[in-house]
Amino acid sequence: MAGIERTLDVSVVAGRCAVDWGLAPDSLSVGSGGMNSQTWLVRAAADRYVAKAVPSDRRGTFEAGLRVATIVEAAGIPAGAPIRTVDGEIVLDVDGFALAVLRFVEGSELTGREPSEQALIGTTLGRVHHALLGHDLPGAAPFPWLDPTAHHVSIRPWIRPAIEAALAEWDALVPDSLTWAPLHTDPAPEAFRLDAATGVCGLIDWDLGVVGPLLYDLASAQMYVGGPEHGDPLIAAYLATGALSRDEVARGLPTLARLRWAIQADYFAQRIATDDLTGIADPAENEEGLEDARRALLG
């Protein structure tokens, strides 16, 4: 129903963790799943896990994203990879949701406000991209996933032309000339977790399996720390990893930054059109997200 966030009951999650994952949880506490999912912190004996659920119609891309997390974690970067059920599955359909249980990633979330944190974000993202190069991803969502003819983009007169302009610029860049691999798609500072005890930084929240240009992740990370006017430490640290050449970044980053904002506009337009309040307390937060995109795209 529009405007009402349907949730998966905590008792159901506890039961499935016990029966399907064999965890016998001591406790479950509701986490901050953000705007796209529900999460619960699961405590079982001395161990911690994260149970995560998305609507069942997103199961395919959710499962694909979790497979990307598995690749990243195999390279030594904590990523919240999924735990398999006793039957070997990584996602189960439960009451209209796709449910997974993930490894808990130790550490504090970054803010991206300090140059040192920006550099850590850039370095970690570069390490992640090195790990993902050369991997295929069955079930991945198409890139870019914008449709300028979609009904929801008509809620404001500026959205459709802005999306069309961003897509035209993207096509002119010659997408096949860029480096493609599985993406994170939304590497916000809070998705990076620094374990102060070990100095290891991980990257969590692999909700959406997408294969696209690695520059999209870099543009997203730059966006979250304030854009090109504030993201120099992040970009410099990323370039130092060698994940992408300086030429590719210089040639393509402005275009991918515009495309990222167009996707942001599309995302919040859809939430407003459907009165989607998942992860927020006030519809004004959706309006604020759309206005941020308008300012970035139109000035």
Side-chain angles (χ1 to χ4, degrees):
M1 184 179 298
I4 298 177
E5 179 185 352
R6 196 171 73 82
T7 60
L8 192 57
D9 189 85
V10 66
S11 63
V12 174
V13 177
R16 300 309 290 260
C17 284
V19 172
D20 296 292
W21 278 273
L23 292 179
D26 299 315
S27 67
L28 271 80
S29 55
V30 177
S32 175
M35 292 185 174
N36 300 308
S37 63
Q38 302 171 62
T39 60
W40 300 264
L41 177 62
V42 181
R43 297 181 182 272
D47 296 318
R48 287 181 292 175
Y49 306 89
V50 174
K52 191 163 197 171
V54 303
S56 284
D57 60 2
R58 288 183 48 209
R59 172 174 176 155
T61 53
F62 179 49
E63 186 166 354
L66 297 182
R67 294 188 187 281
V68 181
T70 299
I71 296 168
V72 173
E73 208 156 84
I77 305 165
I83 305 295
R84 291 189 178 273
T85 68
V86 294
D87 293 327
E89 301 295 327
I90 63 173
V91 176
L92 293 180
D93 288 316
V94 179
D95 294 349
F97 291 88
L99 177 68
V101 174
L102 317 177
R103 300 185 193 281
F104 181 82
V105 175
E106 298 285 351
S108 301
E109 63 185 40
L110 302 184
T111 66
R113 289 192 289 267
E114 299 297 326
S116 60
E117 285 199 357
Q118 285 197 26
L120 184 57
I121 290 170
T123 298
T124 304
L125 187 61
R127 291 184 62 213
V128 166
H129 283 175
H130 272 294
L132 294 175
L133 284 168
H135 284 276
D136 191 18
L137 187 61
F143 183 93
W145 53 93
L146 287 172
D147 178 6
T149 68
H151 177 71
H152 62 267
V153 303
S154 65
I155 66 165
R156 303 287 189 280
W158 63 267
I159 300 175
R160 194 186 313 276
I163 288 175
E164 290 172 341
L167 287 172
E169 187 175 333
W170 159 249
D171 288 338
L173 184 61
V174 187
D176 288 346
S177 70
L178 303 176
T179 304
W180 289 55
L183 302 178
H184 182 279
T185 73
D186 199 36
E190 59 267 25
F192 292 84
R193 298 296 171 90
L194 175 61
D195 186 345
T198 64
V200 173
C201 187
L203 178 57
I204 64 170
D205 289 345
W206 298 87
D207 290 353
L208 179 63
V210 175
V211 173
L214 293 180
L215 269 176
Y216 182 78
D217 274 354
L218 187 60
S220 297
Q222 181 191 61
M223 179 191 78
Y224 280 115
V225 300
E229 298 83 4
H230 304 282
D232 285 350
L234 189 157
I235 300 300
Y238 180 87
L239 286 170
T241 69
L244 291 175
S245 70
R246 292 180 180 273
D247 175 72
E248 183 170 340
V249 172
R251 177 171 60 90
L253 188 56
T255 296
L256 269 296
R258 178 169 291 277
L259 187 66
R260 179 63 179 85
W261 277 115
I263 286 175
Q264 192 86 341
D266 176 82
Y267 174 75
F268 281 104
Q270 186 168 36
R271 285 177 64 92
I272 292 167
T274 59
D275 201 15
D276 185 351
L277 304 182
T278 306
I280 61 175
D282 188 331
E285 294 183 50
N286 284 334
E287 294 287 353
E288 289 169 8
L290 184 61
E291 175 60 17
D292 287 342
R294 187 197 66 78
R295 285 196 300 266
L297 291 166
L298 303 183

